[in-house]
Amino acid sequence: MKITNKISLTAALITGSLMASVSFSGQAEMVLKRGNGAEPGSLDPQIAEGVPSSHITRDIFEGLTAEDPQGNIIPGIAESWDISPDGKIYTFHLRDAQWSNGEPVTAHDFVYGWQRAVNPATGSEYSFLLYPVVNAQDIANGKITDVSELGVRAIDDKTFEVKLNGSTPYILGMINHSVAMPVHKATVDKYGERWTKPRNIVTNGAFHLTEWTPQSRIVISKSDTYWDKSAVKLDKVIFYPTEDQNAELKRYRAGELDWTYEVPNDQIRWIKANLADEFRAGNYLGTYYYGFNTEQPPFKDNINLRKALSMAVDREILTDKIVTAGEVPAYSLVVPGVTGYEPIYLDFKSLSKEARLAEARRLYKEAGYSKQNPLTVELRYNTNENHKKIAIAIASMWKNAFGAKVNLVNEEWKVYLETRKQKKVTQIFRAGWIGDYNDPNTFLELFLSDSGLNDIGFDSAEYDKLNMEASLEKDPAKRAALLARAERIFLDSHSLAPIYHYVVKRMVKPYVKGYSINVMDHSRDKYIYLEK
Amino acid sequence: MFKYTVKRLLGAIPTIFIIITVAFFLIRTAPGGPFDKERTVPPEVQANLNAVYHLDDPLWQQYVYYLKNVVQGDFGPSFQYRDYSVTELIGTGFPTSLTLGGIAILLALVLGATLGSIAALYQNSKIDYAVMATAMTGITIPNFVMAPLLTLIFGVYLSWLPVGGWGDSWNQAVLPIIALALPQIAYIARLTRGSMIEVLRSNFIRTARAKGLPHRSVITRHAMKAALLPVVSYLGPAAAAIITGSVVIEQIFGIPGIGRYFVQGALNRDYTLVMGVVIFYGTLIILFNLIVDLLYGYLDPKTRLQ
């Protein structure tokens, strides 16, 4: 009796599990597992900042404009838009789109989202992106207390109008940022700070947030209410926090991830030898550079010394031997390839290595230094293996070229940022900048004399003026010419030495299709599918 | 016993208060603040943020404000993970950390005590040397070396076990628990061996043997209990070591526990999160030490209080 019982139970279990496995393979879900760097700070579009959050907000929310896989601007929730002749008024015509709770997405939702972004009470770190909009800055700094003064309005449910201070040709790319995404007001009002929790959140993107376990995983599922849902192929995307790049690579190799957030620099050689097919790299909208503190000696009023040091950096050796993922040697601040802009380069780019070195030595002497009286200088970077290797290499280039004594100093990130900002003890420091939108302005605005990011102390009235003129110029070609003149002035001052332009680099399994690297690294899971 | 426990618990309050105070001011002396990023925000936005989080009040006022909230069990909002409160984050992280740390310490106790006793019983034999050599290696190799090694061998090369993550399947827990427990297994094994050797030579064991008790019951009933006393008193430090170890292990294996918040919190200058974790861990260790002392009293009549 006992035995027969056991047998029948086993049989039932076997058939049961067989049936389960059959039904499973019959409707296999298409799930993409992505490594996503650090745990996102927030998924609230107006509060979110940082790349990891942006990868997710871009999937679960959709703004007026969107991007195709190559990163070109295409219509999003706005089906089309009109631009006034002076370029200052944009009128967006919204399509029939729904929130995940079935309600229609209206122009009022955008008005609310944008007002919320500039409202000081929200504490948004990216509100400044909306400063081109009339009254945005005054509302953010409290000069105007009524947020409805912001230059946006809903003409009707389907028409959203934006008034700008000046013609801002990059606005269509900029409003891709989550800070300009619509938000469902009733949900925010009802749940307050808890509105982004999976059980509360209402979204309008291709995916909907279904699980968020901090430091463990964020799961988004295909949305049934998305206007373009037939184009969405993935059923689910799971984002795993992966701060440790080496651990991430191991998880990828073990098959636990389909897609990595980054690739550790010291593994690239191994990857190229063993997993070359799965290694994806492409230009990224960013520049890695060494800044000179022009407010303190020895670089204050010493262009010859700055230029000599910049010329003696062999950028090709650095990108061939040290960073190796396909980074491009940099001779400009604005990344070449920015839309509608002809690149401007440092004046010595065309010289041969020998000629550069000879000229560098001459300038070094002219600056008052020699073998007997060598330059002693501090090179500062934030603690990181990659930065360290580059610093060592460049220090030795300067030692070989001039006999200069370079002391390397490293500091923990937040300490480093503070030191840099004070411009007191820094001499040469490492920095990098990734553009926020595809326009030269995202780089050139850094070094306006009143910019909070101007850690080199660059101060040129002419430069400020050209940038100001460009911001008011309507004609794109004329505007580009003004910006190019500004960059020329900046590069000729040799206030920083561009080293290389960044690359986007990640591992992607061969069965992941529809992915294309773009300069903004804005990938949308809407376009991705798996072919296993 | 009850009176003693109450007395100890009351005595813990000033300790915790000092921990809070020191941690509160210490983390604020570190340069940089929670909202200092490479992309510096305009001064007016910075001011907005500071106002939202009371960072623009004088420091002592912030301190009083914080203390008041902590007494009411509110650790405040996280500066970095702005959609979560610190209490929520600790609440979701603690079960994971407890599972990880609890199993690791149990494993360390059982394996460590067993290996240590075996080594002692076969003192100066090959088994003894093998156990002690392994233990020595376990103590000397730090877990941030051991953990990646284990993942490389068992995860990547052999593909036996997952190399990271938590909660998808039970076997994700295997490598982190082993990596976390290894140094403690080694330490407890050495401790047990030492005290077991001493106990085996003591008079009461000789007496037990002289009375003709079988070998097995001499070891398990008499020797073991006495030999484990130093191990019990080591449990306090062991718990502390497991907690500090988990900070590293959780980071390497991508485990959503509290230890990871501690590291991230410190790097991000997430004042409230770091404070929350410090207070939580501080209280935990104080409680654990109390339990160990009570247990010790039960095991060793000499230390029992009147």
Side-chain angles (χ1 to χ4, degrees):
Chain A
M1 193 62 185
K2 243 185 177 176
I3 292 170
T4 41
N5 259 349
K6 259 190 186 164
I7 289 172
S8 60
L9 186 66
T10 323
L13 276 176
I14 290 172
T15 40
S17 62
L18 270 179
M19 278 165 68
S21 65
V22 167
S23 62
F24 247 90
S25 58
Q27 42 176 271
E29 278 194 318
M30 206 189 269
V31 182
L32 176 70
K33 289 176 274 178
R34 286 178 66 160
N36 198 40
E39 168 76 17
S42 171
L43 293 182
D44 181 325
Q46 274 79 42
I47 289 177
E49 53 94 34
V51 180
S53 306
S54 76
H55 282 317
I56 302 170
T57 49
R58 207 173 288 124
D59 278 342
I60 60 177
F61 289 97
E62 188 162 295
L64 295 162
T65 56
E67 289 145 308
D68 68 8
Q70 287 73 38
N72 301 311
I73 303 295
I74 55 168
I77 295 296
E79 217 163 13
S80 64
W81 48 86
D82 311 314
I83 306 170
S84 68
D86 64 357
K88 287 188 183 177
I89 298 177
Y90 281 65
T91 312
F92 294 92
H93 306 287
L94 311 194
R95 67 175 82 243
D96 290 324
Q98 283 179 350
W99 289 103
S100 52
N101 63 0
E103 289 175 26
V105 178
T106 69
H108 302 282
D109 298 323
F110 282 94
V111 171
Y112 176 66
W114 289 38
Q115 287 177 349
R116 187 168 180 263
V118 293
N119 188 344
T122 312
S124 168
E125 291 176 57
Y126 264 78
S127 55
F128 67 90
L129 277 182
L130 296 180
Y131 282 6
V133 179
V134 168
N135 288 338
Q137 189 161 5
D138 286 341
I139 294 172
N141 63 27
K143 274 188 206 150
I144 297 176
T145 48
D146 182 4
V147 291
S148 65
E149 298 278 304
L150 184 69
V152 295
R153 69 185 173 118
I155 294 175
D156 56 46
D157 277 359
K158 291 270 175 258
T159 320
F160 177 67
E161 184 193 76
V162 180
K163 281 195 184 125
L164 303 172
N165 293 317
S167 150
T168 315
Y170 50 91
I171 191 82
L172 291 174
M174 210 153 81
I175 57 175
N176 251 320
H177 193 278
S178 73
V179 80
M181 283 170 181
V183 177
H184 190 258
K185 184 167 185 293
T187 307
V188 179
D189 287 345
K190 184 170 174 197
Y191 298 106
E193 280 165 5
R194 311 176 61 86
W195 82 272
T196 55
K197 298 282 152 60
R199 61 181 179 277
N200 304 338
I201 196 168
V202 171
T203 57
N204 74 330
F207 295 85
H208 186 63
L209 180 69
T210 42
E211 185 195 334
W212 183 1
T213 313
Q215 306 278 16
S216 176
R217 91 200 68 196
I218 291 179
V219 184
I220 59 174
S221 310
K222 181 178 172 173
S223 166
D224 294 331
T225 55
Y226 181 55
W227 66 269
D228 195 16
K229 66 179 176 198
S230 58
V232 183
K233 299 178 192 81
L234 290 172
D235 293 300
K236 249 189 208 172
V237 184
I238 308 178
F239 294 88
Y240 294 95
T242 48
E243 279 125 13
D244 184 323
Q245 294 178 5
N246 281 300
E248 181 184 37
L249 183 62
K250 280 202 209 102
R251 293 188 71 177
Y252 175 85
R253 287 173 62 194
E256 293 162 29
L257 296 174
D258 301 320
W259 167 305
T260 69
Y261 178 74
E262 259 275 11
V263 175
N265 261 306
D266 54 355
Q267 297 289 323
I268 288 174
R269 212 162 294 219
W270 181 89
I271 288 167
K272 282 186 172 169
N274 297 286
L275 290 171
D277 295 348
E278 301 172 28
F279 178 63
R280 306 284 293 269
N283 291 339
Y284 195 18
L285 194 73
T287 305
Y288 187 105
Y289 63 86
Y290 272 10
F292 301 112
N293 180 358
T294 61
E295 287 187 1
Q296 304 287 338
F299 297 108
K300 188 178 174 166
D301 302 325
N302 200 344
I303 182 172
N304 286 340
L305 182 62
R306 302 196 299 255
K307 187 173 178 186
L309 291 181
S310 178
M311 284 181 95
V313 174
D314 190 334
R315 292 155 173 87
E316 282 71 17
I317 285 199
L318 293 173
T319 53
D320 282 355
K321 304 285 179 208
I322 297 185
V323 285
T324 68
E327 286 83 353
V328 181
Y331 294 92
S332 62
L333 173 65
V334 178
V335 179
V338 163
T339 315
Y341 187 74
E342 202 57 42
I344 303 289
Y345 294 111
L346 285 167
D347 47 9
F348 57 80
K349 181 179 189 253
S350 52
L351 297 182
S352 73
K353 272 182 196 174
E354 293 71 30
R356 276 184 210 171
L357 212 52
E359 174 67 3
R361 289 196 172 116
R362 193 187 67 74
L363 289 166
Y364 181 75
K365 274 215 184 80
E366 217 164 90
Y369 297 97
S370 62
K371 281 251 151 59
Q372 291 72 41
N373 173 30
L375 169 74
T376 306
V377 77
E378 236 175 38
L379 169 49
R380 198 174 288 265
Y381 58 94
N382 55 300
T383 314
N384 170 298
E385 267 312 297
N386 186 40
H387 301 332
K388 185 174 162 187
K389 280 182 198 157
I390 293 170
I392 291 172
I394 291 182
S396 77
M397 286 173 191
W398 288 336
K399 186 162 186 262
N400 291 338
F402 313 116
K405 287 182 185 149
V406 184
N407 301 318
L408 302 187
V409 182
N410 72 85
E411 286 174 338
E412 187 256 0
W413 180 236
K414 295 255 179 182
V415 180
Y416 179 71
L417 285 180
E418 185 132 321
T419 320
R420 241 171 64 180
K421 208 159 293 170
Q422 285 169 350
K423 289 178 268 192
K424 290 278 187 286
V425 297
T426 42
Q427 295 187 324
I428 306 173
F429 61 89
R430 169 270 141 188
W433 189 252
I434 307 289
D436 286 317
Y437 44 90
N438 190 348
D439 188 90
N441 196 56
T442 188
F443 292 98
L444 295 175
E445 69 175 355
L446 303 181
F447 302 109
L448 294 173
S449 54
D450 62 350
S451 158
L453 303 142
N454 187 346
D455 293 342
I456 53 176
F458 180 71
D459 186 356
S460 155
E462 178 78 10
Y463 180 84
D464 292 355
K465 197 175 129 242
L466 285 167
N467 274 294
M468 175 55 97
E469 281 172 22
S471 72
L472 300 172
E473 179 56 57
K474 282 186 309 207
D475 181 56
K478 281 188 194 154
R479 177 176 174 270
L482 287 167
L483 292 175
R485 273 172 63 198
E487 190 182 7
R488 180 81 270 152
I489 291 173
F490 181 73
L491 291 180
D492 285 348
S493 80
H494 298 280
S495 301
L496 59 78
I499 309 289
Y500 64 79
H501 298 301
Y502 285 96
V503 287
V504 179
K505 49 185 192 293
R506 62 168 47 98
M507 307 298 296
V508 179
K509 293 281 185 195
Y511 50 76
V512 176
K513 306 288 181 193
Y515 174 55
S516 154
I517 282 193
N518 60 59
V519 290
M520 301 292 299
D521 192 23
H522 285 183
S523 55
R524 287 163 194 261
D525 287 316
K526 178 182 171 177
Y527 305 117
I528 309 291
Y529 59 99
L530 308 182
E531 239 174 46
K532 282 194 187 177
Chain B
M1 193 68 126
F2 177 71
K3 216 171 144 195
Y4 171 73
T5 313
V6 171
K7 217 167 122 192
R8 280 285 299 270
L9 283 175
L10 286 177
I13 292 173
T15 317
I16 292 173
F17 176 74
I18 292 169
I19 292 174
I20 295 176
T21 311
V22 171
F24 184 89
F25 290 101
L26 208 59
I27 181 138
R28 278 166 176 79
T29 56
F35 301 111
D36 290 335
K37 313 253 163 85
E38 185 154 37
R39 155 62 93 183
T40 41
V41 295
E44 57 269 19
V45 176
Q46 180 76 53
N48 294 343
L49 285 167
N50 287 343
V52 168
Y53 292 102
H54 298 280
L55 288 173
D56 50 355
D57 294 339
L59 201 54
W60 68 267
Q61 225 167 328
Q62 291 183 42
Y63 174 67
V64 173
Y65 180 79
Y66 184 76
L67 269 187
K68 231 188 252 166
N69 284 337
V70 166
V71 170
Q72 292 163 8
D74 176 12
F75 289 126
S78 161
F79 293 144
Q80 174 69 20
Y81 308 111
R82 289 177 60 182
D83 296 1
Y84 286 88
S85 71
V86 171
T87 316
E88 264 178 318
L89 289 174
I90 292 179
T92 51
F94 184 57
T96 307
S97 290
L98 185 69
T99 316
L100 178 68
I103 300 181
I105 214 161
L106 268 179
L107 186 74
L109 255 180
V110 173
L111 266 182
T114 315
L115 287 174
S117 310
I118 293 172
L121 291 175
Y122 298 94
Q123 199 192 347
N124 298 335
S125 71
K126 274 181 190 156
I127 300 173
D128 181 23
Y129 293 141
V131 170
M132 282 306 107
T134 322
M136 209 56 217
T137 327
I139 292 174
T140 44
I141 299 181
N143 51 14
F144 57 84
V145 175
M146 186 57 88
L149 262 179
L150 288 175
T151 57
L152 203 61
I153 296 169
F154 296 102
V156 178
Y157 295 149
L158 298 174
S159 302
W160 288 353
L161 292 163
V163 297
W166 186 267
D168 299 313
S169 66
W170 64 271
N171 56 6
Q172 283 175 321
V174 176
L175 287 181
I177 286 173
I178 291 176
L180 191 56
L182 265 182
Q184 302 312 318
I185 295 176
Y187 206 90
I188 291 176
R190 286 177 58 86
L191 218 56
T192 315
R193 177 183 179 269
S195 71
M196 183 65 111
I197 287 172
E198 209 181 295
V199 168
L200 286 177
R201 288 187 189 136
S202 60
N203 287 333
F204 77 94
I205 295 294
R206 200 171 299 135
T207 314
R209 288 228 166 96
K211 278 181 169 170
L213 282 178
H215 182 65
R216 173 190 279 264
S217 69
V218 170
I219 300 298
T220 52
R221 301 232 347 238
H222 298 274
M224 204 63 168
K225 197 172 163 190
L228 279 181
L229 278 176
V231 176
V232 171
S233 59
Y234 172 68
L235 278 183
I242 290 273
I243 285 174
T244 35
S246 70
V247 170
V248 178
I249 296 296
E250 287 178 9
Q251 190 78 10
I252 293 176
F253 288 95
I255 295 168
I258 303 180
R260 207 158 157 199
Y261 290 128
F262 191 57
V263 179
Q264 294 308 318
L267 292 177
N268 292 323
R269 306 289 190 272
D270 194 341
Y271 298 148
T272 42
L273 184 54
V274 173
M275 291 294 300
V277 175
V278 166
I279 296 171
F280 187 76
Y281 273 164
T283 316
L284 208 63
I285 290 178
I286 289 173
L287 278 180
F288 206 81
N289 276 328
L290 174 64
I291 294 171
V292 167
D293 285 351
L294 292 177
L295 201 66
Y296 205 86
Y298 167 76
L299 286 175
D300 184 359
K302 275 185 286 181
T303 61
R304 216 169 280 174
L305 282 142
Q306 303 310 315

